[in-house]
C-alpha cells in the first residue's frame, strides 16, 4: 500500500508535468488504473487512495474479482482487452465502459444486453498482426452502427501503438488517433500506458491506462 501510494504520487507528478507542458488541465485526464493479473485487493487499495477508474483485460478475470469490489461506490470499471462476442452480455453487466469495441456484431451484442454502456472504439493504426481494432477506413461504418444503438453511448476512440521502449515512437499514432476523432466528432481519446502516457497527454489523451507504473511488474502475461 505504501508502495502504491508512492507510485501514485510519482504518476501524478508525471501527469502534471505533461499537462503543464501542453497547456492542458489535470481534470481533462482520467487516470485508468490497470489491475489485470493483480488481485481484487489492488483495486480496493487504489480506491482507498482516491482512484475511481479501473481497467481490466479479461471478462472472466474481472468477474472473479467482482464480489470484492462491487461495493466501491463511484468506481467505474473499463474493459480494455479484446472482447469475444459470446462474452458481450456478461461484459455489459459488469463493466461501465467497453473500450475495445471493434466490430458491428460486438456493438449489437452489447446493445442487446439492455444496459446503458459507454463505449470506445478500438482503432488499429499499426500493421502489427496481433493488434485488434477497426481499420481507419472501416471506422465511419462502425460509428454509424454504434450511434444507432440506443443503449450505447459513444464516448471515445482507443488505440495501442506498436510496442517500443522509446515513447516518441508512439507520438505519430497518438496524433493520428486525435485527428481521426476530431474528424468524426468524437471527444474521448484513450491512449498512453505506463511508459508513454506523457506523450499521449501532449497529443490530447483524455484517458490514460496505467498498470505497471502503479502496481509494479506483472508476472506472466
Ligand atoms: C496492460 C495494458 C495497459 C497497461 O500497461 P502498462 O504498461 O502496465 O501501464 C494499458 N492498456 C492495455 C490495453 C493493456 O492491455
Amino acid at each position: 500500500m505504501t508502495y502504491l501510494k508512492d507510485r501514485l504520487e510519482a504518476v501524478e507528478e508525471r501527469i502534471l508535468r505533461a499537462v503543464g507542458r501542453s497547456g492542458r488541465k489535470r481534470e481533462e485526464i482520467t487516470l485508468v488504473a490497470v489491475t489485470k493479473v493483480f488481485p481484487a485487493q489492488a483495486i480496493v487499495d487504489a480506491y482507498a487512495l482516491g482512484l475511481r477508474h479501473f481497467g481490466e483485460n479479461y471478462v472472466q478475470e474481472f468477474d472473479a474479482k467482482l464480489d470484492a469490489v462491487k461495493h466501491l461506490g463511484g468506481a467505474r470499471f473499463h474493459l480494455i482487452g479484446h472482447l469475444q462476442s459470446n462474452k458481450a452480455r456478461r461484459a455489459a453487466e459488469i463493466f461501465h465502459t467497453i473500450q475495445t469495441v471493434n466490430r458491428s456484431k460486438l456493438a449489437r451484442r452489447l446493445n442487446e444486453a439492455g444496459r446503458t454502456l459507454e463505449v470506445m472504439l478500438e482503432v488499429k493504426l499499426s500493421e502489427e498482426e496481433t493488434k485488434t481494432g477497426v481499420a481507419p477506413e472501416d471506422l465511419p461504418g462502425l460509428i454509424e452502427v454504434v450511434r444507432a444503438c440506443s443503449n450505447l453511448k459513444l464516448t471515445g476512440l482507443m488505440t495501442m501503438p506498436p510496442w517500443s521502449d522509446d515513447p516518441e515512437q508512439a507520438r505519430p499514432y497518438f496524433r493520428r488517433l486525435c485527428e481521426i476523432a476530431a474528424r468524426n466528432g468524437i471527444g474521448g481519446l484513450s491512449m498512453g500506458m505506463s511508459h508513454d502516457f506523457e506523450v499521449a497527454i501532449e497529443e490530447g489523451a483524455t484517458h490514460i491506462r496505467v498498470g505497471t507504473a502503479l502496481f509494479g511488474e506483472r508476472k506472466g502475461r
Side-chain angles (χ1 to χ4, degrees), residues 31 37-38 79 92 94 119 141 146 209:
L31 172 58
V37 184
F38 289 97
L79 181 69
I94 64 179
V119 301
V146 170
R209 309 179 306 266

Side-chain angles (χ1 to χ4, degrees), residues 30-40 42-43 46 51-59 61-63 65 69 75-82 94-100 158 190 207-212 214-215 218:
T30 299
L31 172 58
V32 181
V34 176
T35 46
K36 63 168 173 241
V37 184
F38 289 97
I43 299 175
L51 290 174
R52 291 296 178 268
H53 291 261
F54 302 94
E56 286 275 342
N57 285 59
Y58 306 95
V59 176
E61 183 185 333
F62 181 59
D63 218 347
K65 299 177 188 176
V69 302
R76 309 285 297 175
F77 298 105
H78 301 242
L79 181 69
I80 62 169
H82 182 68
I94 64 179
F95 290 98
H96 300 96
T97 303
I98 309 292
Q99 292 202 5
T100 48
M158 180 269 209
S190 174
H207 291 68
I208 56 173
R209 309 179 306 266
V210 180
T212 311
L214 290 172
F215 302 104
R218 288 178 293 272

